[in-house]
Amino acid sequence: MVNKSLLPVRFRLPLLGPVVFLTRGLQFNLELLLFRGPAALFQNTWSLRPQVKRAGSRRALARGLARAAVLLGLANLALCPCVLGWRLLLAFFSYAEGLKRAPGSLGARRWSLYARHYLRHFNELGHELRARLGRGHAPATRYMDSFSSPLLAVLARHVGFFAGSVLAVLIVLTVYDEDVLTVQHILTAITLLGLVVTVARSFIPDEHAVWCPEQLLQRVLAHVHYLPEHWQGRAGRAETRAEMAQLFQYKAVFILEELLSPLVTPLILIFAFPRRALDIVDFFRNFTVEVAGVGDICSFAQLDVRHHGNPQWLSRGHTEAPPERQAEHGKTELSLMRFALSNPRWRPPPPARRFLGHLQAQPEGLVASVLAAGGLVAREPRFGPPCSTASATASLLASLRSPLGTAPCAAPDSPAEPEDRPALSESRLRSLSRSALLAEVASAEMSLHAIYLHQLHQQQQQQPQGPGPQPAGAPKHPFVTTGSAARASQLREMPLGGWAEEEEEEEEEETMT
């Protein structure tokens, strides 16, 4: 429902503009309303109510669901003083000690609750999502830190200077004479001045840092796998940063939203949710399938490219889904690829198998050149001695098909014997189990495919292409760069399925020459 934008969590306020509001309190109320409450659409944990599956009952169910939302909102409004007091006490006892020990912790960032739903793959387990978002935390932090306000930096420098000067004088006086500590409120002043200095320093950018927002955003995409389409080519815009801040918010903003939740949640349930009630009932009726031995599940969980694929995400020729049944942001295709990499023993159905074979048939050198162009892959010690970015990426992909510990640094078609290839370090192998190592390599391959699918989607949006080869003079593929992948640089812009035919034609031309 988050993927199809059915839940009332996005709003446009007069002064603040687009706002996303999803807290743990609101999520609990939505789950109670849809799944566990007396008026829920599910009669138990595995099956819908029979009337939900009948089209003639949709309006009656929508009216009942809207009425239940209003009653639940009124109940939240009546309990608001108690819940708000509990939230204030919980926040104070949870963060007071940490704030005293590390005053800058409120300026740290975390993935919002909305981001955890927006970025989550279909059928992705909770610990897998946390691991993936954990890997994307550092690149996302660097991207957000690349934006700085010159005016705010000047103010922070002046405030930090004056607060630091007074703090230094007070510290010197306390060292010179201990009786200074007996002065009333002197300890309070020292604590507050230290807090002001710490906060001011967080707004002063590093004068030696050089940022490339586009490259940093591509690094974020490599880990989180989903970014809005209109961010492409606009990574340096303030609007993109503001939208990214909705997904990757300050911890202070998270605490503030949780404190405001008892006040805002009743308003959303009373005024915003009833307008979505009919669409939500239709969603449960249209996107529910019954699986023997399991019960009623969301049809998106089947990762069916044929029924939920999007032609602009490499599903052309593999999907029959109308626009209203397509998953947004390429989630079906990316979720299918992630599930296949995370579960190598899974035997997908024929449509999914054909799509996966279609995607994995891409030349490894092409993907390597993509990441070499964007600077997305840097050499890491565990992959052996230094080598080129393209060959390191290709060797990483080749390691999926080679025995454990034989990740070559040379090109995949190098004549070197397996024992001559640099292997993963012994300390790294000892620290990681076989399953953990395979999961790490599968995560790296998923990052490559996520970058590839997003770039291909962007290209198809800008210039739709047909199933056949492009005419002479057509623009080059956006991923292909000169240098590391000479073979890939000769490919023309064409659908993924046309690469094999193009290679055969070129081989025939070379033979004739």
Side-chain angles (χ1 to χ4, degrees), residues 62-403:
R63 287 193 297 268
L65 186 61
R67 189 184 310 112
V70 173
L71 293 176
L72 185 60
L74 293 175
N76 276 267
L77 198 59
L79 297 174
C80 177
C82 298
V83 178
L84 183 58
W86 166 252
R87 285 290 183 187
L88 289 173
L89 290 176
L90 183 63
F92 176 78
F93 289 118
S94 300
Y95 302 109
E97 193 276 334
L99 182 62
K100 177 181 178 297
R101 185 178 65 256
S105 61
L106 293 181
R109 289 187 177 269
R110 67 187 303 276
W111 295 104
S112 66
L113 186 59
Y114 174 79
R116 295 176 187 275
H117 291 285
Y118 175 80
L119 301 175
R120 188 171 188 170
H121 290 294
F122 296 140
N123 290 343
E124 186 175 20
L125 299 178
H127 70 278
E128 295 175 334
L129 174 68
R130 289 190 294 270
R132 185 161 57 87
L133 295 184
R135 290 190 294 267
H137 188 276
T141 301
R142 287 194 292 270
Y143 171 74
M144 297 301 292
D145 290 343
S146 65
F147 293 86
S148 61
S149 172
L151 178 60
L152 189 61
V154 171
L155 291 176
R157 286 190 179 94
H158 285 78
V159 171
F161 173 77
F162 288 112
S165 302
V166 177
L167 179 62
V169 172
L170 292 178
I171 292 176
V172 170
L173 289 177
T174 55
V175 172
Y176 177 74
D177 188 0
E178 295 180 355
D179 294 336
V180 176
L181 294 176
T182 61
V183 178
Q184 189 176 10
H185 302 306
I186 190 66
L187 291 178
T188 303
I190 293 176
T191 303
L192 292 179
L193 288 173
L195 179 62
V196 170
V197 171
T198 303
V199 173
R201 287 177 179 175
S202 64
F203 290 99
I204 301 176
D206 185 3
E207 60 182 5
H208 302 293
V210 179
W211 305 103
C212 180
E214 290 291 345
Q215 185 179 111
L216 292 175
L217 195 60
Q218 289 294 305
R219 290 176 181 268
V220 177
L221 176 60
H223 294 288
V224 303
H225 304 163
Y226 296 101
L227 289 179
E229 302 165 4
H230 59 276
W231 288 10
Q232 295 289 342
R234 299 165 56 91
R237 301 288 186 89
E239 298 84 358
T240 304
R241 182 197 180 278
E243 294 183 16
M244 181 65 179
Q246 296 175 353
L247 302 177
F248 196 59
Q249 60 185 184
Y250 284 116
K251 190 174 183 179
V253 175
F254 166 76
I255 297 174
L256 181 62
E257 288 183 351
E258 292 294 333
L259 293 178
L260 293 177
S261 179
L263 301 174
V264 180
T265 297
L267 302 179
I268 294 177
L269 294 176
I270 295 173
F271 298 105
F273 188 89
R275 294 197 295 266
R276 306 286 183 91
L278 184 60
D279 294 333
I280 291 175
V281 171
D282 288 339
F283 176 84
F284 276 93
R285 181 172 56 85
N286 296 326
F287 294 94
T288 299
V289 294
E290 184 176 356
V291 178
V294 179
D296 292 329
I297 66 170
C298 181
S299 59
F300 288 109
Q302 294 182 311
L303 306 179
D304 193 344
V305 178
R306 185 177 60 179
H307 291 101
H308 297 302
N310 192 322
Q312 291 188 345
W313 290 88
L314 207 64
S315 292
R316 183 167 305 184
H318 299 273
T319 182
E320 304 170 357
E324 62 272 8
R325 297 190 65 86
Q326 297 171 2
E328 307 298 330
H329 316 299
K331 180 155 283 194
T332 301
E333 291 79 7
L334 288 168
S335 298
L336 175 60
M337 173 56 62
R338 185 213 65 84
F339 192 83
L341 290 174
S342 302
N343 303 273
R345 296 183 180 181
W346 176 57
R347 297 182 62 85
R353 190 181 305 118
R354 287 192 295 270
F355 172 79
L356 292 173
H358 189 55
L359 178 60
Q360 292 175 341
Q362 58 181 305
E364 293 174 352
L366 180 61
V367 182
S369 66
V370 178
L371 300 182
L376 297 175
V377 174
R379 182 184 65 85
E380 296 186 14
R382 65 175 179 272
F383 293 119
C387 57
S388 67
T389 302
S391 60
T393 307
S395 78
L396 177 60
L397 290 177
S399 66
L400 291 173
R401 304 174 182 86
S402 61

Side-chain angles (χ1 to χ4, degrees), residues 465-472 474 492-495 498 501-502 505:
Q465 59 183 6
Q470 297 296 315
R492 296 177 303 180
E493 182 183 52
M494 61 173 53
E501 290 81 359
E502 177 68 13
E505 293 177 2

